[in-house]
């Protein structure tokens, strides 16, 4: 592909103490395609983005982009020669030559994604279509730079060895999704403050330079999960939505015009910090993170007894145990979410609220249903309530969203650009 000028999707490291980097790709000059030679890379990205979810003929690509048929032919020949796209089965019409659809070659590119969590870290390898080809997982009592680097030092070379020799050059980057300011959570996750304090000065790019020369991208874990829903889930159906991911702690993100919006200082979508009233302590104002996070359930005595020292993961049998503690937790979570959604809807006019988390689908379904019920019991006069929807990615959203970062940096454009091309 043609080399694209530096933009805000080039490899970056964002220290936890700094403003999170907005990883949404720069749409480049203009909203549609252009025949000018200096935007050749933009046009290539545009073509790849259009055919990522739908096989299209060259004629249809030309129609949607406004590019000339000759330009589309040149671009698709180049992409085909690089192994990025392939042809589908010809579609015969009533007259004329059959139409030959073009689609992404799933093996045309690969990307690594890493989620650093409070209780576990995981790494995935995805192909050009976002299919997970490799998955690695490790648990710990609390995250430290040393334990994460031991995991990465072992797993990155091993995953790379799993690729065919001719495919190594098709591995285009490593994205990392992690909570910001990890050092500030020592009390909540019962970790030594000195151990977590190491994150304040730790630099992933510097540490990873001894392991790999892949471009490194870092993003807040909730934003990454939201990006996964936007790209690989059903987020593209809603140009504006608020996203809640209930993990060990709850986090959120905001999508505006088809792009994850971090805001001027990175606070946009930091829904875990929203003030809510706690039903268990009437009259007490707390943050959403204190009432709607998995760690609250994990600390429950019934849960602790059943887990027998293990951590409450998405596949833990406890979720299907029918324990009363789960019902109480879902009620508390849903009630708090309804309050937060009312606040969000009063400030920003989104069409949907998408809720996902690190638990089984049947738990997510109950939370969505009970949140919707609770919301309709409130006095919401003066605002139009958004749709309450379940996310479709699930527990792997943060790692998948991390792998999305190098995918977008190298090859794709965001949804707002495609909308303006008629795609």
């Amino acid at each position: 592909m043609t080399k694209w000028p530096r933009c805000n999707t080039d490899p970056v490291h964002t220290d936890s103490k700094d403003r999170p980097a907005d990883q949404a790709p720069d749409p480049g000059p203009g909203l549609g395609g252009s025949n000018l030679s200096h935007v050749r890379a933009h046009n290539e990205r545009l073509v790849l983005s259009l055919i990522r979810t739908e096989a299209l003929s060259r004629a249809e690509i030309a129609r949607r982009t406004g590019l000339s048929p000759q330009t589309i032919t040149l671009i698709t020949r180049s992409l085909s020669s690089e192994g990025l796209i392939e042809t589908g089965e010809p579609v015969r019409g009533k007259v004329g030559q059959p139409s030959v659809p073009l689609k992404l070659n799933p093996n045309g590119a690969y990307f690594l994604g890493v989620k650093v969590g409070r209780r576990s870290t995981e790494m995935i390898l995805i192909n050009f279509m976002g299919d997970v080809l490799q998955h690695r997982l490790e648990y710990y009592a609390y995250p430290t730079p040393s334990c994460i680097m031991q995991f990465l030092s072992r797993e990155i070379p091993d995953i790379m060895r799993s690729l065919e020799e001719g495919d190594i050059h098709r591995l285009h980057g490593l994205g990392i999704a992690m909570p910001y300011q990890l050092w500030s959570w020592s009390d909540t996750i019962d970790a030594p403050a000195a151990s977590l304090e190491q994150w304040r000065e730790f630099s992933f790019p510097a540490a990873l330079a001894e392991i790999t020369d892949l471009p490194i991208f870092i993003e807040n874990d909730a934003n990454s999960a939201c990006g996964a829903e936007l790209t690989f889930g059903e987020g593209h159906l809603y140009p504006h939505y608020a996203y809640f991911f209930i993990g060990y702690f709850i986090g959120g993100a905001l999508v505006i015009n088809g792009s994850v919006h971090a805001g001027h200082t990175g606070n946009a979508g930091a829904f875990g910090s929203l003030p809510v009233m706690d039903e268990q302590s009437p009259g007490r104002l707390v943050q959403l993170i204190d009432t709607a996070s998995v760690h609250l359930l994990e600390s429950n005595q019934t849960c602790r007894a059943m887990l027998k020292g293990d951590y409450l993961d998405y596949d833990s049998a406890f979720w299907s145990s029918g324990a009363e503690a789960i019902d109480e937790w879902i009620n508390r979570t849903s009630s708090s979410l309804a309050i937060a959604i009312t606040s969000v809807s009063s400030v920003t006019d989104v069409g949907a609220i998408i809720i996902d988390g690190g638990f089984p689908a049947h738990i997510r379904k109950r939370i969505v249903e009970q949140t919707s019920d609770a919301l309709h019991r409130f006095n919401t006069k003066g605002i139009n309530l958004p749709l309450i929807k379940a996310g479709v990615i699930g527990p792997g959203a943060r790692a998948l969203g991390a792998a999305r970062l190098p995918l977008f940096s190298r090859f794709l454009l965001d949804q707002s650009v495609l909308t303006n091309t008629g795609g």
Side-chain angles (χ1 to χ4, degrees):
M1 290 179 65
T2 308
K3 185 175 177 60
W4 184 240
R6 287 184 62 86
C7 63
N8 67 340
T9 57
D10 285 327
V12 295
H13 168 62
T14 304
D15 287 324
S16 304
K17 58 193 174 186
D18 297 330
R19 174 185 179 274
D22 184 357
Q23 297 289 346
D26 188 337
L31 293 175
S34 170
N35 288 309
L36 299 177
S37 59
H38 70 280
V39 292
R40 168 73 177 272
H42 171 77
N43 293 337
E44 291 177 337
R45 289 172 181 253
L46 182 57
V47 170
L48 291 172
S49 299
L50 283 174
I51 66 175
R52 188 181 68 83
T53 57
E54 180 183 7
L56 299 171
S57 67
R58 288 182 175 86
E60 180 62 17
I61 295 172
R63 187 189 70 79
R64 294 196 187 188
T65 62
L67 293 168
S68 71
Q70 295 84 356
T71 298
I72 293 300
T73 296
L74 289 173
I75 289 174
T76 55
R77 281 179 180 172
S78 174
L79 295 176
S80 179
S81 68
E82 295 182 44
L84 296 173
I85 65 175
E86 59 186 14
T87 58
E89 292 295 326
V91 179
R92 297 188 179 278
K94 294 182 179 180
V95 296
Q97 295 294 320
S99 172
V100 180
L102 300 174
K103 58 183 180 179
L104 294 189
N105 175 9
N107 299 317
Y110 302 97
F111 313 90
L112 289 171
V114 175
K115 180 218 75 175
V116 177
R118 276 85 171 187
R119 285 289 185 255
S120 66
T121 186
E122 62 182 312
M123 174 183 287
I124 60 172
L125 173 73
I126 67 170
N127 64 13
F128 213 176
M129 298 300 297
D131 302 316
V132 177
L133 307 178
Q134 298 270 347
H135 178 262
R136 311 294 169 86
L137 177 67
E138 183 164 285
Y139 292 96
Y140 38 68
Y142 51 85
T144 63
S146 60
C147 76
I148 300 300
M149 286 307 303
Q150 287 176 12
F151 173 80
L152 296 180
S153 298
R154 180 179 68 249
E155 301 300 342
I156 290 177
D158 190 56
I159 286 180
M160 293 184 70
R161 283 192 294 269
S162 72
L163 293 172
E164 298 290 339
E165 185 175 348
D167 288 336
I168 295 296
H169 74 283
R170 298 187 184 277
L171 185 58
H172 290 281
L174 184 155
I176 299 174
M178 62 180 295
Y180 288 119
Q181 299 184 358
L182 263 172
W183 60 83
S184 65
W185 299 102
S186 58
D187 291 339
T188 310
I189 64 176
D190 193 25
S195 296
L196 293 193
E197 185 66 22
Q198 300 171 34
W199 286 106
R200 192 183 293 270
E201 302 300 330
F202 179 75
S203 168
F204 265 117
L208 286 169
E210 301 181 8
I211 304 172
T212 177
D213 58 358
L214 289 173
I216 307 299
F217 304 80
I218 301 180
E219 187 178 54
N220 172 265
D221 55 348
N223 282 347
S224 288
C226 182
E229 184 69 39
L230 181 63
T231 302
F232 304 109
E234 296 182 353
H236 66 280
L237 300 176
Y238 311 99
H240 317 290
Y241 66 89
Y243 178 87
F244 292 83
F245 189 91
I246 308 170
Y248 192 77
F249 294 121
I250 190 170
L254 186 64
V255 169
I256 301 295
N257 292 325
S259 298
V260 179
H261 177 68
H264 177 63
T265 64
N267 283 342
F271 300 138
S273 299
L274 281 172
V276 298
M277 298 299 296
D278 186 7
E279 288 186 345
Q280 295 189 1
S281 303
R284 181 182 175 219
L285 197 64
V286 296
Q287 290 187 323
L288 182 63
I289 200 171
D290 299 317
T291 62
S293 298
V294 170
H295 84 91
L296 298 173
L297 183 56
E298 187 182 81
S299 62
N300 178 275
Q301 288 186 348
T302 302
C303 180
R304 291 167 68 97
M306 290 189 66
L307 291 175
K308 298 179 179 179
D310 288 338
Y311 302 118
L312 183 57
D313 196 20
Y314 65 89
D315 60 354
S316 297
F318 180 74
W319 292 112
S320 300
S321 67
E324 184 178 340
I326 296 177
D327 296 335
E328 294 174 351
W329 177 77
I330 290 177
N331 291 337
R332 188 182 187 190
T333 296
S334 301
S335 178
S336 298
L337 277 173
I339 297 172
I341 290 168
T342 302
S343 299
V344 171
S345 300
S346 300
V347 176
T348 180
D349 189 14
V350 295
I353 303 292
I354 297 180
I355 301 172
D356 208 341
F359 32 68
H362 72 275
I363 297 294
R364 179 176 61 219
K365 182 175 183 290
R366 290 181 59 188
I367 291 173
V368 169
E369 291 174 348
Q370 291 188 213
T371 298
S372 183
D373 290 343
L375 189 60
H376 285 89
R377 292 196 299 267
F378 290 167
N379 181 358
T380 55
K381 184 178 180 179
I383 61 175
N384 294 316
L385 293 179
L387 295 171
I388 311 299
K389 305 290 292 184
V392 300
I393 305 299
R398 291 162 293 183
L400 184 58
R404 170 187 180 270
L405 299 177
L407 167 64
F408 260 81
S409 172
R410 181 68 176 88
F411 295 109
L412 301 181
L413 298 175
D414 64 35
Q415 188 65 30
S416 62
V417 180
L418 301 185
T419 300
N420 283 281
T421 67

